[in-house]
């Protein structure tokens, strides 16, 4: 990346910003913008980040609440909860959730958390917030597209929300929405209008992801400030970069899969349908392949899990280094493993399909490539461990959640090695073992990464701190709770207990886990309550939190802390600072930290 | 009323926690930020060790409580290899898990912020990085090698003398068809399916091979004899899950799949082994297939050849059932089973 190009684009931003501020009659000057232009249709990446975050939090509460509801069924199959009938109406008669409602809740829980919370709420928030601030840009490459990205997400959210209230209920075929179940309204009540709304919402969501992703990539490639070469970028930015690349390359494939599904549903095509007898008659469709959809789905689906976890990895790397007062260990190896994960993520999708009748020879390649992806994951873990080794760790809530992330990423990543080996997967596929695996490695870890990010950058977002004590309570209960919930599930899976079952009491092979399910459900309720404590802390602290009095509270080296406490649109009131060094000069030559903006001294070696 | 009280109590607990949190913020201002920071680092550092110890003990305790609920191990020859592979993988990943978790929480505790401590500037070290790239790579290669060896063994063609059972999934039960005396399944077409005419899988009555095929609610297998399942579905995707045999295969409409196993123990053997007189082998549906998914259960009886022959001799062929009665008898139709599923749910 030549400096010239960087400089040039830098001037362009300046120019376009000027235009924004003075040329736009109805918008007025940014700093005295109307409420609408400042808080609603804002083009400031910082405001858009907060919009993503708050929308994500709202969805997280809904999605998590759904899990409480269906865990009530699993944990207390014989107890009647009259209030369920009050909120769910005919979906829960006599205080018991019906199977149809159970599957709708499970499906919505998965969709909401995977896409709306851990994709939009995590990458959407932090890519938006940190990319311009940390690379030294005044905003995204296209602030307008960026704004559209949020509003497409918002409309997708509205459509999904609406689907909860239609008469036949929302989609209920699982977050993976496999046809023919998802294609045939006659096969499942959730595959009626609810499924159309689901597909519409997801299509809008894909548009939102593409608008966002293209913006993140072009901003990172073109709009870095002077001196910010690619290898001087913080690992957060590298992680967001690879996340965006994964999304831009794989979401369109998912969209194509959805469009074919829509055709099968309404246009009489047979992409996924063949030899089907449903509702008392044989359908005319022949020659389609239900497995084709799974290929299209998992071609996104696997990269998607890394879309979720890479931003968390980036955030954790940054927060751990800062709070250990040490450089991240193996910066280049960290980038290298992110890169390897990004490539391999596209080559392992069929490990979700070992038991579909996939050619065993083909399956063997997917075993090999899947276990290969564990190598870069292992490198990252060892590098994090070495980062805190001989550090001087300050346990901020952000640091605690980062340590928690490393713990859960280890626990959940190791079970991936079990599942990636097809011979073992043939037993464990679609059992609670898989539930345990991906909730620990993706669900809990990604949430921990997100919490680390929120606690760490909250002062930059709102000029106030979150309450620390509540943060500590939040962390310790959540960490213990997560393990109590998901660790024992491995045993259920080893016994072959299938996932997505409404009731196990008639099964001689699985009913011995009734007591365990009861226990898990109780912990779920307590952990859920603790998350509400966090939500309260979040909104309370926006208005009443302890005020930030210095610009750089964590003594960090990166550029976002060189902006004023309440940075306006454009981020830096004066020139964008120039960068002279990598972002990890902590405790170098006995100096606690050296900001990126400080030139390399005459006798100083670059890292 | 009790619901209201619960909410009230929870809200009260929230308020108390919040007041404490708020107060601790003021106290830290009074005490001085530095002191408060030292104190919170000491507490959290200590909790790191507490968590590590409790976590290791908890994992042990969890295993102790739950290991007896896993059943007595694989009940098929193929499954035994899978159990071995699981044991090897558990040994390797379990070791790595304990070591890394201990290091993580121990480092966190040991290197907590202390006055006078200086962090060690240690940005990279090629030797270390090569070591922890190569060692996992080797360990994984070993696991892949063992895994694939077994994978090819269990996905190979079934032995020639294997008995054949056809299993067809439908919402929400399993249709089991045996080839009868001729040992060959007759052909079928999905357009011929008719629940009212007792032809649930769409057998083609023109095909002579169909004359002796019989259907059953239970699956009967012979101990020690390889069995090949021919798996299909007539509506959505289901999955033939055989938890005790450690095997699984999707049932996909339009695309037949197969799997084969060799049962090692009879149902009676297993009752003795598990000391559970109610023990049965079960076929579970392992692919989300609609509202009755959780009720798609079939019982598998593993018995001696003699017992099997006696049972098979008693079965009426589906051809007879479908063509005997002049007035078509309503067989288990899609609707009646669906309502059964929901009935079970209640
Ligand atoms: C360490 C390397 C990993 C390996 C070898 C691995 C392997 C696997 C395999 C083979 C499956 C399929 C299991 C089955 O359905 O039978 C699976 C499921 C899954 N994994 Fe991983 N995994 C790894 C890490 C991750 C990470 C980092 C994430 C996310 C952050 C993740 C998220 C998931 C999810 C969401 C599923 C289940 C999807 C579903 O069926 O609903 N995995 N993993
Ligand atoms: Cu995957
Ligand atoms: Cu099913």
């Amino acid at each position: 990346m030549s400096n010239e190009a960087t400089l040039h684009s830098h001037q362009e931003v300046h120019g376009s910003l000027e235009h924004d501020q003075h040329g736009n009659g109805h918008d007025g000057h940014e700093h005295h913008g109307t409420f609408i232009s400042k808080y609603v249709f804002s083009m400031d990446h910082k405001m858009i980040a907060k919009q993503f975050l708050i929308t994500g939090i709202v969805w997280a509460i809904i999605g998590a609440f759904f899990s409480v509801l269906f865990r009530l069924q699993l944990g207390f199959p014989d107890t009647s909860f009259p209030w369920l009938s009050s909120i769910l109406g005919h979906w829960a008669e006599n205080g018991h959730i019906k199977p149809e409602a159970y599957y709708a809740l499970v499906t919505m829980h998965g969709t909401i958390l995977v896409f709306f919370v851990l994709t939009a709420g995590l990458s959407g928030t932090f890519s938006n917030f940190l990319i311009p601030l940390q690379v030294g840009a005044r905003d995204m490459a296209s602030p307008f597209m960026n704004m559209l990205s949020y509003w497409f997400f918002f409309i997708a959210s509205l459509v999904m929300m609406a689907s909860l209230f239609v008469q036949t209920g929302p989609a209920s075929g699982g977050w993976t929405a496999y046809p023919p179940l998802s294609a045939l309204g006659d096969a499942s009540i959730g595959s009626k209008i609810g499924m159309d709304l689901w597909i519409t919402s997801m299509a809008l969501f894909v548009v939102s992801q593409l608008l966002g992703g293209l913006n993140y990539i072009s901003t990172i490639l073109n709009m870095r400030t002077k001196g910010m070469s690619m290898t001087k970028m913080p690992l957060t930015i590298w992680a967001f970069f690879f996340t965006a690349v994964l999304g831009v390359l794989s979401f369109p494939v998912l969209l194509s899969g959805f469009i074919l599904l829509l055709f099968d549903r309404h246009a009489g095509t047979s992409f996924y349908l063949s030899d089907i007898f449903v509702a008392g008659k044989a359908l005319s469709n022949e020659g389609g392949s239900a497995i084709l959809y799974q290929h299209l789905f998992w071609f996104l689906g696997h990269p998607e899990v890394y879309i979720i976890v890479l931003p968390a990895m980036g955030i954790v790397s940054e927060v751990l280094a800062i709070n250990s007062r040490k450089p991240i260990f193996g910066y280049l190896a960290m980038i290298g493993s992110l890169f390897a994960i990004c490539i391999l993520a596209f080559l392992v999708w069929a490990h979700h399909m070992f038991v579909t009748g996939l050619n065993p020879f083909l399956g063997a390649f997917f075993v090999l490539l899947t276990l290969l992806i564990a190598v870069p994951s292992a490198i990252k873990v060892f590098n994090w461990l070495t980062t805190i080794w001989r550090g001087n760790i300050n346990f901020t809530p952000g640091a605690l959640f980062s340590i928690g992330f490393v713990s859960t990423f280890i626990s959940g990543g190791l079970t991936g090695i079990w599942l990636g080996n097809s011979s073992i997967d043939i037993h464990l596929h679609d059992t609670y073992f898989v539930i345990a695996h991906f909730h620990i490695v993706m669900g809990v870890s990604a949430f921990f990464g997100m919490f680390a990010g929120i606690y760490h950058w909250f002062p930059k977002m709102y000029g106030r701190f979150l309450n620390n004590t509540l943060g500590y309570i939040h962390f310790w209960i959540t960490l213990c709770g997560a393990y109590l919930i998901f660790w024992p599930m491995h045993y259920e899976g080893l016994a072959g207990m299938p996932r997505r079952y409404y009731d196990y009491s008639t099964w001689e092979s699985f009913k011995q886990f009734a007591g365990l399910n009861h226990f898990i459900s109780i912990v779920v309720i307590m952990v859920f309550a603790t998350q509400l404590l966090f939500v309260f802390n979040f909104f309370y602290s926006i208005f009443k939190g302890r005020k930030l009095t210095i610009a750089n509270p964590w003594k960090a080296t990166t550029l976002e802390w060189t902006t004023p406490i309440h940075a306006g649109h454009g981020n830096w009131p004066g020139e964008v600072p120039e960068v002279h060094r990598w972002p990890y000069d902590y405790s170098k030559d006995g100096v606690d930290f050296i900001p990126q903006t400080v030139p390399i001294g005459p006798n100083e070696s670059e890292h | 009323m009790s619901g209201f009280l619960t909410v009230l109590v929870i809200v009260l607990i929230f308020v108390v926690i919040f007041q404490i949190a708020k107060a601790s913020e003021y106290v830290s201002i009074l005490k001085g930020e530095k002191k408060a920071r030292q104190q919170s680092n000491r507490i959290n550092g200590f909790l790191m060790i507490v968590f590590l110890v409790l976590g290791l003990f908890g994992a042990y305790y969890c295993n102790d409580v739950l290991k007896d609920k896993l059943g007595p191990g694989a009940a098929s020859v193929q499954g035994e290899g899978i159990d071995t592979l699981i044991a090897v993988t558990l040994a390797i990943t379990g070791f790595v898990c304990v070591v890394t978790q201990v290091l993580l929480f121990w480092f966190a505790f040991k290197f907590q912020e202390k006055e006078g401590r200086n962090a060690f500037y240690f940005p990279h070290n090629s030797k270390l990085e090569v070591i922890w790239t190569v060692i996992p790579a080797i360990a994984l290669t070993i696991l892949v090698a063992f895994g694939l060896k077994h994978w090819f063994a269990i996905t190979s063609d079934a032995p020639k003398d294997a008995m054949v059972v056809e299993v067809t999934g439908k919402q929400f039960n399993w249709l089991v068809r045996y080839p009868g005396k001729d040992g060959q399944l007759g052909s079928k077409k999905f357009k011929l399916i008719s629940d009212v005419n007792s032809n649930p899988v769409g057998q083609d009555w023109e095909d002579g091979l169909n004359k002796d095929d019989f259907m059953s609610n239970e699956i009967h297998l012979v101990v020690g004899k390889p069995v090949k399942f021919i798996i299909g579905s007539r509506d959505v995707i289901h999955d033939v899950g055989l938890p005790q045999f450690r095997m699984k295969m999707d049932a996909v409409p339009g695309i037949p799949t197969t799997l084969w196993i060799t049962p090692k123990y009879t149902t009676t053997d297993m009752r003795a082994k598990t000391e559970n007189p109610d023990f049965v082998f079960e076929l579970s549906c392992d692919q989300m297939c609609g509202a009755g998914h959780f009720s798609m259960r079939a019982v598998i009886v593993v018995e001696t050849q003699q017992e099997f022959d006696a049972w098979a001799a008693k079965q009426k062929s589906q051809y007879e059932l479908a063509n005997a009665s002049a007035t078509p008898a309503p067989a288990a139709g899609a609707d009646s089973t669906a309502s059964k599923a929901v009935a079970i749910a209640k």
Side-chain angles (χ1 to χ4, degrees):
Chain A
M1 219 36 67
S2 78
N3 273 345
E4 217 177 316
T6 328
L7 260 179
H8 183 67
S9 59
H10 169 166
Q11 277 164 358
E12 257 176 21
V13 183
H14 232 333
S16 73
L17 197 88
E18 224 89 309
H19 174 79
D20 254 13
Q21 290 185 343
H22 306 295
N24 255 347
H26 65 97
D27 262 11
H29 192 280
E30 190 57 41
H31 292 284
H32 334 112
T34 61
F35 181 82
I36 299 260
S37 74
K38 192 156 175 214
Y39 293 105
V40 184
F41 293 107
S42 170
M43 292 199 221
D44 183 346
H45 70 101
K46 298 189 292 300
M47 183 54 69
I48 295 174
K50 293 177 200 171
Q51 291 173 329
F52 268 109
L53 179 57
I54 290 176
T55 316
I57 290 178
V58 171
W59 271 122
I61 299 170
I62 297 172
F65 181 63
F66 284 1
S67 76
V68 171
L69 292 184
F70 67 70
R71 276 310 313 186
L72 280 182
Q73 163 60 27
L74 289 178
F76 308 84
D78 303 321
T79 314
S80 166
F81 299 98
W83 57 271
L84 279 179
S85 306
S86 333
I87 56 172
L88 296 179
H90 71 280
W91 295 98
E93 275 159 8
N94 313 321
H96 286 280
I97 298 177
K98 283 194 194 169
E100 288 81 1
Y102 176 87
Y103 287 117
L105 289 169
V106 173
T107 303
M108 284 298 124
H109 165 78
T111 308
I112 289 169
L113 281 152
V114 169
F115 294 110
F116 289 5
V117 180
L118 292 178
T119 304
L122 175 53
S123 151
T125 302
F126 289 102
S127 298
N128 264 308
F129 193 72
L130 292 179
I131 289 175
L133 281 173
Q134 288 196 332
V135 303
R138 294 201 182 270
D139 204 315
M140 285 288 175
S142 167
F144 179 69
M145 259 166 72
N146 206 29
M147 178 183 84
L148 282 186
S149 159
Y150 173 74
W151 286 103
F152 268 97
F153 170 49
F154 187 80
I155 301 170
S157 295
L158 288 186
V159 175
M160 194 63 82
M161 195 73 88
S163 84
L164 297 174
F165 296 97
V166 297
Q167 199 205 350
T168 50
S172 62
W175 76 281
T176 48
Y178 285 178
L181 184 66
S182 61
L184 305 171
D186 282 339
S188 159
I189 188 171
S191 301
K192 295 182 193 289
I193 179 90
M195 194 65 215
D196 291 317
L197 292 171
W198 190 89
I199 295 176
T200 310
S201 169
M202 288 304 301
L204 291 164
F205 184 80
V206 170
V207 174
S208 151
Q209 284 302 303
L210 295 180
L211 288 169
L214 290 172
N215 237 331
Y216 306 153
I217 295 173
S218 33
T219 309
I220 293 172
L221 289 182
N222 295 320
M223 301 187 54
R224 300 186 312 276
T225 184
K226 191 169 173 206
M228 178 69 86
S229 64
M230 291 293 273
T231 49
K232 288 197 173 64
M233 297 193 312
L235 284 173
T236 34
I237 303 302
W238 274 107
F240 299 145
F241 177 71
F242 286 120
T243 304
V245 171
L246 282 171
V248 166
L249 294 181
S250 63
F251 269 113
V253 178
L254 181 76
L255 187 60
S256 70
F258 286 162
I259 289 171
L260 300 190
L261 180 58
L262 214 53
F263 281 159
D264 273 7
R265 289 172 59 78
H266 298 298
T269 55
S270 309
F271 291 107
Y272 306 134
L273 305 178
S274 185
D275 297 24
I276 290 169
F277 181 91
V278 72
K281 57 177 192 292
L283 304 185
S284 58
N285 311 71
E286 277 181 85
S289 163
I291 302 301
L292 169 64
Y293 173 88
Q294 299 188 16
H295 283 291
L296 296 174
F297 182 88
W298 288 113
F299 190 81
L300 159 98
H302 188 82
E304 168 66 19
V305 305
Y306 285 100
I307 289 173
I308 287 173
V309 89
L310 291 190
M313 288 175 163
I315 289 170
V316 163
S317 302
E318 186 72 13
V319 174
L320 271 185
I322 292 171
N323 288 294
S324 309
R325 313 311 296 164
K326 272 189 65 185
I328 190 80
F329 181 79
Y331 174 76
L332 287 178
M334 287 302 230
I335 298 173
S337 42
L338 287 175
F339 180 65
I341 287 175
C342 179
I343 300 286
L344 286 170
F346 284 110
L347 302 174
V348 300
W349 78 91
H351 65 212
H352 298 270
M353 301 168 59
F354 285 136
V355 303
T356 53
L358 185 78
N359 180 326
F361 186 66
L362 201 59
F365 286 94
F366 283 98
V367 172
L368 192 69
L369 291 163
T370 299
L371 293 208
L372 212 57
I373 211 170
V375 175
S377 309
I379 295 174
K380 295 196 78 81
V381 167
F382 291 128
N383 286 0
W384 286 316
L385 289 177
T386 317
T387 301
I388 64 170
W389 175 69
R390 293 186 62 184
N392 195 20
I393 308 166
N394 179 23
F395 294 115
T396 60
L400 290 176
F401 275 107
S402 302
I403 292 169
F405 169 94
V406 178
S407 172
T408 53
F409 188 74
I410 294 170
S411 304
L414 285 170
T415 51
I417 294 173
W418 297 46
L419 297 169
N421 221 336
S422 51
S423 308
I424 300 181
D425 186 57
I426 211 168
H427 175 44
L428 298 177
H429 175 69
D430 264 343
T431 66
Y432 265 77
F433 195 93
V434 175
I435 302 288
H437 160 68
F438 76 78
H439 277 87
I440 294 179
V441 76
M442 177 175 84
V444 180
S445 298
F447 261 107
F448 279 16
M450 186 163 166
F451 287 136
I454 294 174
Y455 281 102
H456 188 80
W457 279 288
F458 192 87
K460 186 73 254 162
M461 289 181 175
Y462 295 103
R464 291 171 186 272
F465 289 93
L466 284 161
N467 182 297
N468 265 350
T469 310
L470 286 181
Y472 297 141
I473 296 173
H474 177 211
F475 170 71
W476 286 108
I477 296 185
T478 310
L479 179 70
C480 297
Y483 271 116
L484 288 174
I485 292 167
F486 295 115
W487 188 271
M489 284 186 188
H490 292 108
Y491 288 83
E492 300 183 322
L494 282 168
M497 189 171 116
R499 65 193 278 201
R500 296 172 172 165
Y501 268 29
Y502 166 79
D503 183 21
Y504 294 91
S505 56
T506 54
W507 292 83
E508 199 52 45
S509 313
F510 315 124
K511 68 180 182 193
Q512 70 272 29
F513 291 112
L516 178 58
N517 279 337
H518 186 76
F519 169 79
I520 290 176
S521 294
I522 292 173
V523 182
V524 167
I525 294 167
M526 297 195 315
V527 172
F528 177 70
T530 310
Q531 305 316 305
L532 293 182
L533 204 60
F534 163 76
V535 173
F536 178 79
N537 191 5
F538 183 89
F539 287 106
Y540 179 86
S541 301
I542 290 179
F543 304 103
K544 294 274 169 82
R546 183 161 55 92
K547 272 202 176 122
L548 186 64
T549 48
I550 42 170
N552 187 0
W554 312 121
K555 301 202 172 76
T557 58
T558 39
L559 290 182
E560 75 273 29
W561 305 106
T562 63
T563 59
I565 292 177
H566 292 281
H569 196 181
N571 298 335
W572 286 270
E575 285 289 301
V576 179
E578 188 179 336
V579 163
H580 298 279
R581 59 177 73 231
W582 78 329
Y584 297 107
D585 274 338
Y586 293 101
S587 304
K588 188 185 186 191
D589 307 329
V591 185
D592 184 32
F593 74 109
I594 314 174
Q596 283 192 279
T597 47
V598 175
I600 305 265
N603 304 323
E604 199 187 339
S605 58
E606 235 179 306
H607 65 274
Chain B
M1 191 60 205
S2 74
F4 177 72
L5 275 181
T6 325
V7 173
L8 201 71
V9 169
I10 293 175
V11 169
L12 270 177
I13 294 176
F14 266 46
V15 171
V16 170
I17 293 178
F18 174 69
Q19 291 303 335
I20 294 172
K22 203 69 210 153
S24 70
E25 211 165 64
Y26 296 130
V27 170
S28 82
I29 292 171
L30 288 180
K31 258 200 297 204
E33 208 154 310
K34 200 168 138 209
K35 204 123 179 250
R37 175 169 168 158
Q38 281 173 347
Q39 193 186 15
S40 101
N41 277 330
R42 260 202 311 277
I43 295 173
N44 283 299
F46 175 68
L47 287 176
M48 288 284 161
I49 282 299
V50 172
F51 181 81
L52 175 64
V53 173
L54 285 185
L56 290 173
F57 172 75
Y60 172 81
Y61 175 77
C62 178
N63 183 63
D64 211 44
V65 174
L66 296 176
K67 67 174 186 295
D68 295 334
K69 297 191 192 292
L70 295 181
S76 70
V77 175
Q78 293 71 15
E80 283 184 332
I82 292 177
D83 278 3
T84 313
L85 202 57
I86 288 181
V88 174
T89 311
L90 173 62
I92 295 179
T93 55
F95 174 76
V96 176
C97 189
V98 171
V99 170
T100 46
Q101 301 278 6
V102 167
L103 289 181
L104 175 68
F105 290 101
W106 172 247
F107 287 170
F109 167 75
K110 177 126 198 284
F111 302 109
Q112 59 179 282
E113 187 177 273
K114 284 242 173 68
E115 209 155 349
R117 186 194 328 266
N118 281 320
F120 173 46
Y121 184 80
F122 188 48
H124 52 85
N125 178 315
S126 307
K127 206 161 112 198
L128 277 180
E129 287 166 73
V130 169
I131 291 176
W132 59 56
T133 310
V134 172
I135 293 184
I138 294 174
L140 289 166
T141 313
I142 295 172
L143 288 176
V144 170
F146 279 116
L148 287 185
K149 185 160 167 269
H150 197 58
W151 171 246
F152 286 122
I154 56 184
T155 56
S156 61
D157 288 334
K160 290 263 168 342
D161 63 336
M163 70 186 262
V164 174
V165 184
E166 183 193 78
V167 180
T168 307
K170 70 174 258 286
Q171 291 178 323
F172 294 101
N173 59 341
W174 297 100
L175 304 168
V176 183
R177 181 162 69 125
Y178 281 83
K181 287 186 213 64
D182 62 2
Q184 278 181 293
L185 288 163
S187 59
K188 57 175 192 174
K189 269 211 199 92
F190 81 101
K191 296 215 160 132
L192 297 175
I193 293 174
S194 166
D195 288 322
V196 268
N197 291 324
S198 298
N199 192 0
V201 293
Q203 282 168 284
D204 181 358
W205 301 131
E206 311 278 291
D207 183 355
L209 292 177
N210 264 322
K211 299 266 151 70
D212 64 344
D213 293 3
F214 64 86
M215 299 193 62
S216 157
N217 288 329
E218 284 180 343
I219 300 177
H220 284 242
L221 304 177
V222 178
V223 65
K225 182 167 181 180
V227 51
K228 175 178 173 179
F229 289 96
I230 296 177
I231 298 163
S233 163
R234 44 171 251 196
D235 41 43
V236 303
I237 303 179
H238 304 271
D239 182 283
V240 173
L242 306 169
Q244 287 89 359
F245 303 106
R246 310 282 190 256
M247 204 55 76
K248 190 169 286 148
M249 181 55 74
D250 277 358
V252 186
I255 310 174
T257 54
T258 61
L259 77 78
W260 69 277
I261 53 167
T262 318
K264 272 197 78 165
Y265 307 103
T266 63
T267 301
T268 325
D269 291 343
M270 291 300 282
R271 289 190 174 151
K273 264 178 102 124
T274 56
E275 293 170 14
N276 174 9
D278 298 325
F279 176 90
V280 281
F281 290 112
E282 286 171 316
L283 190 172
S284 57
C285 181
D286 281 357
Q287 184 61 257
M288 173 64 196
C289 60
H293 170 51
F294 66 99
S295 60
M296 266 187 80
R297 170 176 183 267
V299 170
I300 301 174
V301 180
V302 182
E303 55 201 0
T304 61
Q305 182 75 50
Q306 258 175 338
E307 287 167 319
F308 177 83
D309 292 341
W311 171 79
K314 275 193 297 197
Q315 305 303 311
K316 268 211 174 114
S317 80
Q318 194 66 24
Y319 179 77
E320 261 178 86
L321 289 177
N323 294 299
S325 51
T327 46
D335 298 339
S336 67
T337 32
S339 55
K340 196 163 74 195
V342 177
I344 293 172
K346 289 175 180 160

